PDB file of all heavy atoms in Angstrom:
ATOM      1  N   SER A 399      45.884  54.785  -2.140  1.00  0.00           N
ATOM      2  CA  SER A 399      44.703  55.263  -2.839  1.00  0.00           C
ATOM      3  C   SER A 399      44.494  54.471  -4.142  1.00  0.00           C
ATOM      4  O   SER A 399      43.365  54.207  -4.549  1.00  0.00           O
ATOM      5  CB  SER A 399      44.813  56.744  -3.176  1.00  0.00           C
ATOM      6  OG  SER A 399      44.843  57.499  -1.992  1.00  0.00           O
ATOM      7  N   VAL A 400      45.588  54.107  -4.800  1.00  0.00           N
ATOM      8  CA  VAL A 400      45.504  53.332  -6.039  1.00  0.00           C
ATOM      9  C   VAL A 400      44.842  51.969  -5.750  1.00  0.00           C
ATOM     10  O   VAL A 400      43.962  51.529  -6.489  1.00  0.00           O
ATOM     11  CB  VAL A 400      46.894  53.149  -6.681  1.00  0.00           C
ATOM     12  CG1 VAL A 400      46.830  52.163  -7.853  1.00  0.00           C
ATOM     13  CG2 VAL A 400      47.461  54.476  -7.111  1.00  0.00           C
ATOM     14  N   THR A 401      45.243  51.332  -4.663  1.00  0.00           N
ATOM     15  CA  THR A 401      44.653  50.049  -4.296  1.00  0.00           C
ATOM     16  C   THR A 401      43.178  50.232  -3.947  1.00  0.00           C
ATOM     17  O   THR A 401      42.341  49.371  -4.294  1.00  0.00           O
ATOM     18  CB  THR A 401      45.428  49.412  -3.122  1.00  0.00           C
ATOM     19  OG1 THR A 401      46.785  49.230  -3.514  1.00  0.00           O
ATOM     20  CG2 THR A 401      44.831  48.082  -2.726  1.00  0.00           C
ATOM     21  N   LYS A 402      42.859  51.321  -3.297  1.00  0.00           N
ATOM     22  CA  LYS A 402      41.443  51.584  -2.986  1.00  0.00           C
ATOM     23  C   LYS A 402      40.610  51.762  -4.275  1.00  0.00           C
ATOM     24  O   LYS A 402      39.514  51.278  -4.376  1.00  0.00           O
ATOM     25  CB  LYS A 402      41.306  52.825  -2.093  1.00  0.00           C
ATOM     26  CG  LYS A 402      41.737  52.582  -0.660  1.00  0.00           C
ATOM     27  CD  LYS A 402      41.511  53.808   0.200  1.00  0.00           C
ATOM     28  CE  LYS A 402      41.913  53.529   1.620  1.00  0.00           C
ATOM     29  NZ  LYS A 402      41.623  54.643   2.534  1.00  0.00           N
ATOM     30  N   VAL A 403      41.195  52.458  -5.251  1.00  0.00           N
ATOM     31  CA  VAL A 403      40.504  52.634  -6.542  1.00  0.00           C
ATOM     32  C   VAL A 403      40.316  51.273  -7.211  1.00  0.00           C
ATOM     33  O   VAL A 403      39.243  50.975  -7.752  1.00  0.00           O
ATOM     34  CB  VAL A 403      41.257  53.630  -7.443  1.00  0.00           C
ATOM     35  CG1 VAL A 403      40.722  53.602  -8.862  1.00  0.00           C
ATOM     36  CG2 VAL A 403      41.207  55.036  -6.864  1.00  0.00           C
ATOM     37  N   ILE A 404      41.356  50.442  -7.203  1.00  0.00           N
ATOM     38  CA  ILE A 404      41.271  49.105  -7.796  1.00  0.00           C
ATOM     39  C   ILE A 404      40.204  48.281  -7.093  1.00  0.00           C
ATOM     40  O   ILE A 404      39.400  47.594  -7.738  1.00  0.00           O
ATOM     41  CB  ILE A 404      42.645  48.397  -7.779  1.00  0.00           C
ATOM     42  CG1 ILE A 404      43.591  49.097  -8.759  1.00  0.00           C
ATOM     43  CG2 ILE A 404      42.514  46.921  -8.091  1.00  0.00           C
ATOM     44  CD1 ILE A 404      45.036  48.650  -8.696  1.00  0.00           C
ATOM     45  N   LEU A 405      40.160  48.371  -5.771  1.00  0.00           N
ATOM     46  CA  LEU A 405      39.127  47.667  -5.001  1.00  0.00           C
ATOM     47  C   LEU A 405      37.734  48.163  -5.371  1.00  0.00           C
ATOM     48  O   LEU A 405      36.815  47.346  -5.553  1.00  0.00           O
ATOM     49  CB  LEU A 405      39.333  47.896  -3.511  1.00  0.00           C
ATOM     50  CG  LEU A 405      40.102  46.840  -2.716  1.00  0.00           C
ATOM     51  CD1 LEU A 405      40.311  47.305  -1.293  1.00  0.00           C
ATOM     52  CD2 LEU A 405      39.406  45.522  -2.753  1.00  0.00           C
ATOM     53  N   ALA A 406      37.570  49.468  -5.497  1.00  0.00           N
ATOM     54  CA  ALA A 406      36.252  50.035  -5.821  1.00  0.00           C
ATOM     55  C   ALA A 406      35.829  49.617  -7.230  1.00  0.00           C
ATOM     56  O   ALA A 406      34.680  49.201  -7.435  1.00  0.00           O
ATOM     57  CB  ALA A 406      36.285  51.540  -5.699  1.00  0.00           C
ATOM     58  N   ILE A 407      36.720  49.716  -8.187  1.00  0.00           N
ATOM     59  CA  ILE A 407      36.397  49.337  -9.567  1.00  0.00           C
ATOM     60  C   ILE A 407      36.070  47.845  -9.651  1.00  0.00           C
ATOM     61  O   ILE A 407      35.093  47.439 -10.299  1.00  0.00           O
ATOM     62  CB  ILE A 407      37.549  49.714 -10.544  1.00  0.00           C
ATOM     63  CG1 ILE A 407      37.625  51.238 -10.662  1.00  0.00           C
ATOM     64  CG2 ILE A 407      37.346  49.064 -11.904  1.00  0.00           C
ATOM     65  CD1 ILE A 407      38.844  51.741 -11.405  1.00  0.00           C
ATOM     66  N   SER A 408      36.875  47.028  -8.986  1.00  0.00           N
ATOM     67  CA  SER A 408      36.617  45.593  -8.966  1.00  0.00           C
ATOM     68  C   SER A 408      35.274  45.294  -8.338  1.00  0.00           C
ATOM     69  O   SER A 408      34.533  44.425  -8.821  1.00  0.00           O
ATOM     70  CB  SER A 408      37.713  44.867  -8.193  1.00  0.00           C
ATOM     71  OG  SER A 408      38.971  45.086  -8.775  1.00  0.00           O
ATOM     72  N   SER A 409      34.968  46.020  -7.265  1.00  0.00           N
ATOM     73  CA  SER A 409      33.668  45.821  -6.594  1.00  0.00           C
ATOM     74  C   SER A 409      32.525  46.196  -7.546  1.00  0.00           C
ATOM     75  O   SER A 409      31.531  45.460  -7.616  1.00  0.00           O
ATOM     76  CB  SER A 409      33.597  46.636  -5.326  1.00  0.00           C
ATOM     77  OG  SER A 409      34.559  46.229  -4.406  1.00  0.00           O
ATOM     78  N   PHE A 410      32.668  47.312  -8.265  1.00  0.00           N
ATOM     79  CA  PHE A 410      31.633  47.712  -9.226  1.00  0.00           C
ATOM     80  C   PHE A 410      31.437  46.629 -10.289  1.00  0.00           C
ATOM     81  O   PHE A 410      30.290  46.298 -10.646  1.00  0.00           O
ATOM     82  CB  PHE A 410      31.985  49.025  -9.921  1.00  0.00           C
ATOM     83  CG  PHE A 410      31.644  50.253  -9.128  1.00  0.00           C
ATOM     84  CD1 PHE A 410      32.568  51.274  -9.007  1.00  0.00           C
ATOM     85  CD2 PHE A 410      30.416  50.420  -8.525  1.00  0.00           C
ATOM     86  CE1 PHE A 410      32.275  52.420  -8.300  1.00  0.00           C
ATOM     87  CE2 PHE A 410      30.099  51.561  -7.826  1.00  0.00           C
ATOM     88  CZ  PHE A 410      31.035  52.554  -7.704  1.00  0.00           C
ATOM     89  N   ILE A 411      32.519  46.107 -10.797  1.00  0.00           N
ATOM     90  CA  ILE A 411      32.441  45.072 -11.843  1.00  0.00           C
ATOM     91  C   ILE A 411      31.752  43.832 -11.287  1.00  0.00           C
ATOM     92  O   ILE A 411      30.829  43.285 -11.926  1.00  0.00           O
ATOM     93  CB  ILE A 411      33.840  44.753 -12.408  1.00  0.00           C
ATOM     94  CG1 ILE A 411      34.364  45.955 -13.195  1.00  0.00           C
ATOM     95  CG2 ILE A 411      33.792  43.484 -13.273  1.00  0.00           C
ATOM     96  CD1 ILE A 411      35.819  45.846 -13.601  1.00  0.00           C
ATOM     97  N   LEU A 412      32.184  43.363 -10.110  1.00  0.00           N
ATOM     98  CA  LEU A 412      31.600  42.157  -9.528  1.00  0.00           C
ATOM     99  C   LEU A 412      30.126  42.378  -9.174  1.00  0.00           C
ATOM    100  O   LEU A 412      29.297  41.487  -9.350  1.00  0.00           O
ATOM    101  CB  LEU A 412      32.399  41.707  -8.326  1.00  0.00           C
ATOM    102  CG  LEU A 412      33.793  41.165  -8.645  1.00  0.00           C
ATOM    103  CD1 LEU A 412      34.590  40.899  -7.374  1.00  0.00           C
ATOM    104  CD2 LEU A 412      33.700  39.902  -9.503  1.00  0.00           C
ATOM    105  N   ILE A 413      29.783  43.553  -8.672  1.00  0.00           N
ATOM    106  CA  ILE A 413      28.393  43.858  -8.373  1.00  0.00           C
ATOM    107  C   ILE A 413      27.577  43.911  -9.661  1.00  0.00           C
ATOM    108  O   ILE A 413      26.440  43.401  -9.710  1.00  0.00           O
ATOM    109  CB  ILE A 413      28.259  45.183  -7.580  1.00  0.00           C
ATOM    110  CG1 ILE A 413      28.809  44.985  -6.163  1.00  0.00           C
ATOM    111  CG2 ILE A 413      26.819  45.658  -7.535  1.00  0.00           C
ATOM    112  CD1 ILE A 413      28.969  46.289  -5.392  1.00  0.00           C
ATOM    113  N   GLY A 414      28.154  44.496 -10.711  1.00  0.00           N
ATOM    114  CA  GLY A 414      27.445  44.526 -12.012  1.00  0.00           C
ATOM    115  C   GLY A 414      27.178  43.132 -12.541  1.00  0.00           C
ATOM    116  O   GLY A 414      26.080  42.858 -13.046  1.00  0.00           O
ATOM    117  N   ILE A 415      28.155  42.274 -12.418  1.00  0.00           N
ATOM    118  CA  ILE A 415      27.965  40.874 -12.848  1.00  0.00           C
ATOM    119  C   ILE A 415      26.906  40.215 -11.991  1.00  0.00           C
ATOM    120  O   ILE A 415      26.008  39.525 -12.511  1.00  0.00           O
ATOM    121  CB  ILE A 415      29.314  40.097 -12.803  1.00  0.00           C
ATOM    122  CG1 ILE A 415      30.254  40.617 -13.876  1.00  0.00           C
ATOM    123  CG2 ILE A 415      29.058  38.602 -12.972  1.00  0.00           C
ATOM    124  CD1 ILE A 415      31.660  40.045 -13.788  1.00  0.00           C
ATOM    125  N   GLY A 416      26.964  40.449 -10.681  1.00  0.00           N
ATOM    126  CA  GLY A 416      25.949  39.877  -9.791  1.00  0.00           C
ATOM    127  C   GLY A 416      24.559  40.390 -10.101  1.00  0.00           C
ATOM    128  O   GLY A 416      23.583  39.622 -10.081  1.00  0.00           O
ATOM    129  N   PHE A 417      24.461  41.675 -10.407  1.00  0.00           N
ATOM    130  CA  PHE A 417      23.176  42.252 -10.793  1.00  0.00           C
ATOM    131  C   PHE A 417      22.621  41.579 -12.034  1.00  0.00           C
ATOM    132  O   PHE A 417      21.463  41.222 -12.104  1.00  0.00           O
ATOM    133  CB  PHE A 417      23.306  43.764 -10.990  1.00  0.00           C
ATOM    134  CG  PHE A 417      22.041  44.458 -11.369  1.00  0.00           C
ATOM    135  CD1 PHE A 417      21.111  44.788 -10.404  1.00  0.00           C
ATOM    136  CD2 PHE A 417      21.767  44.760 -12.684  1.00  0.00           C
ATOM    137  CE1 PHE A 417      19.915  45.424 -10.748  1.00  0.00           C
ATOM    138  CE2 PHE A 417      20.584  45.388 -13.050  1.00  0.00           C
ATOM    139  CZ  PHE A 417      19.638  45.714 -12.065  1.00  0.00           C
ATOM    140  N   ARG A 418      23.469  41.418 -13.031  1.00  0.00           N
ATOM    141  CA  ARG A 418      23.059  40.782 -14.296  1.00  0.00           C
ATOM    142  C   ARG A 418      22.641  39.327 -14.050  1.00  0.00           C
ATOM    143  O   ARG A 418      21.651  38.865 -14.635  1.00  0.00           O
ATOM    144  CB  ARG A 418      24.190  40.871 -15.320  1.00  0.00           C
ATOM    145  CG  ARG A 418      23.844  40.274 -16.643  1.00  0.00           C
ATOM    146  CD  ARG A 418      22.814  41.089 -17.388  1.00  0.00           C
ATOM    147  NE  ARG A 418      22.579  40.452 -18.685  1.00  0.00           N
ATOM    148  CZ  ARG A 418      21.419  40.441 -19.306  1.00  0.00           C
ATOM    149  NH1 ARG A 418      20.398  41.081 -18.788  1.00  0.00           N
ATOM    150  NH2 ARG A 418      21.296  39.824 -20.449  1.00  0.00           N
ATOM    151  N   ILE A 419      23.380  38.621 -13.202  1.00  0.00           N
ATOM    152  CA  ILE A 419      23.015  37.240 -12.865  1.00  0.00           C
ATOM    153  C   ILE A 419      21.622  37.176 -12.244  1.00  0.00           C
ATOM    154  O   ILE A 419      20.792  36.364 -12.632  1.00  0.00           O
ATOM    155  CB  ILE A 419      24.069  36.604 -11.939  1.00  0.00           C
ATOM    156  CG1 ILE A 419      25.364  36.309 -12.720  1.00  0.00           C
ATOM    157  CG2 ILE A 419      23.546  35.319 -11.293  1.00  0.00           C
ATOM    158  CD1 ILE A 419      26.536  35.932 -11.826  1.00  0.00           C
TER     159      ILE A 419
END
Side-chain angles (χ1 to χ4, degrees):
S399 295
V400 171
T401 300
K402 287 183 179 184
V403 168
I404 291 171
L405 264 175
I407 291 171
S408 300
S409 296
F410 278 134
I411 292 170
L412 291 173
I413 290 169
I415 291 172
F417 181 81
R418 181 70 178 146
I419 288 170

